[in-house]
Amino acid sequence: MTLLDDAPARGPRVAVRRTMTVPTGFDVCGDFAWRRTPDRIEIVHGLDESTICDSAMIAGLLPLIEQGVVVGQAGFEEAATAVIRTSAGTEARSWAAFYDNSLDELRSGRSPFSPIHRRARSLVAGDSVLEVGSCFGFFALQCADDGRRVAACDISPGAVALLSANARRLCTPVEAVLGDATALPFPTSSVDTVTLIHLLEHLDETAATSAVSEALRVARLRVVIAVPYEEDPSEHFGHRVRLTESHLRRWADAVDHAGAQYLEDHGGWLVLRPVP
């Protein structure tokens, strides 16, 4: 995951700004508009402090992806962070509005991701949770609001810093830690539930199996895994493979555990019980 780390994007650079009217020379594409110049792609949007959120940002960029204006994971992440950062008068206000609106949308059920978070929270066992591959950390923040002790781990330094800052701003205790899912920086049997929510589709088979094994090492009571079932893996989200239940069963067969449960609800779910 390169999100928030200013990794160089492949292809033309992207310049993004907020405007209430479409400038001359821009082509309207869904909710956004764009034009190509000799050295970059320019995108304009109308999202502001009251409307910026995860789903609105994605909905605005998807038509540009479908038209080939924004290309690949690096291009998507560059455009996504630029849309968020330009949604208010300062970057700090932009990120605060993005977090507040996205969390409100998730809690109210308006977000497309709400059913996934709701199911994941229902599967958490015990008092402590580790979210692996947390990115913005919306799930971790909701678990902390549920009264649980929460840690979050991501490979992106920018995502970890952003989650830490917003957890402090929201007075929501979440320990955000930099780390790789295949080598978690947590002691054995140190957390009741470890979650891998829409993470394993970003990894190859070997790394995915290692991540499941590491989650089982750290978890005392339960490992909760969720993956999307897509006809075509979303390249712009960094999805590597088209996953099916057979992948969940292969991961379960490849690791030591004391029991497995398979579910289908807005994608596939694997719930594992660690060996005591």
Side-chain angles (χ1 to χ4, degrees):
M1 179 70 77
T2 60
L3 188 63
L4 312 175
D5 293 331
D6 295 322
R10 295 187 179 90
R13 298 295 298 184
V14 175
V16 178
R17 59 191 169 97
R18 176 167 58 96
T19 177
M20 300 312 295
T21 59
V22 177
T24 302
F26 280 72
D27 293 327
V28 175
C29 187
D31 293 333
F32 292 1
W34 71 284
R35 72 176 178 183
R36 190 185 304 274
T37 69
D39 61 343
R40 64 185 181 179
I41 300 293
E42 296 182 359
I43 298 171
V44 296
H45 68 90
L47 296 175
D48 59 19
E49 283 185 79
S50 66
T51 55
I52 184 65
C53 63
D54 194 51
S55 65
M57 176 269 292
I58 292 173
L61 288 175
L62 282 179
L64 296 174
I65 291 166
E66 292 167 359
Q67 286 202 11
V69 177
V70 174
V71 179
Q73 182 181 3
F76 171 75
E77 292 179 354
E78 183 184 21
T81 53
V83 169
I84 298 166
R85 286 168 168 156
T86 57
S87 61
T90 67
E91 186 168 331
R93 284 171 52 192
S94 296
W95 282 113
F98 175 73
Y99 263 81
D100 292 347
N101 296 338
S102 297
L103 287 167
D104 181 65
E105 189 179 46
L106 283 163
R107 292 175 182 131
S108 69
R110 301 192 313 273
S111 168
F113 230 76
S114 293
I116 297 165
H117 280 201
R118 184 166 53 247
R119 170 66 79 169
R121 288 162 70 191
S122 76
L123 293 170
V124 169
D127 296 323
S128 58
V129 182
L130 167 61
E131 182 188 11
V132 180
S134 53
C135 192
F136 293 121
F138 297 141
F139 180 73
L141 289 166
Q142 290 174 91
C143 287
D145 283 340
D146 291 338
R148 292 187 163 93
R149 289 181 290 111
V150 180
C153 180
D154 199 275
I155 201 170
S156 163
V160 170
L162 189 61
L163 173 56
S164 295
N166 279 277
R168 288 193 300 271
R169 180 182 63 84
L170 294 165
C171 298
T172 303
V174 172
E175 178 191 8
V177 177
L178 184 68
D180 192 316
T182 64
L184 292 173
F186 294 89
T188 298
S189 300
S190 59
V191 179
D192 289 332
T193 296
V194 177
T195 67
L196 296 86
I197 309 300
H198 284 215
L199 169 66
L200 299 184
E201 64 271 18
H202 296 270
L203 308 179
D204 62 30
E205 186 77 13
T206 300
T209 302
S210 295
V212 175
S213 180
E214 271 291 274
L216 282 164
R217 177 186 66 79
V218 173
R220 280 191 293 263
L221 301 177
R222 184 172 289 179
V223 171
V224 177
I225 297 165
V227 298
Y229 285 165
E230 303 171 295
E231 285 300 318
D232 297 301
S234 301
E235 178 192 5
H236 50 284
F237 291 144
H239 298 178
R240 290 174 174 244
V241 291
R242 177 180 178 271
L243 295 176
T244 65
E245 186 177 315
S246 64
H247 291 85
L248 301 179
R249 294 187 178 275
R250 281 211 305 272
W251 294 330
D253 290 343
V255 296
D256 292 329
H257 60 83
Q261 180 184 10
Y262 303 91
L263 305 170
E264 188 166 331
D265 181 7
H266 295 78
W269 296 80
L270 170 62
V271 181
L272 296 172
R273 185 158 49 92
V275 176

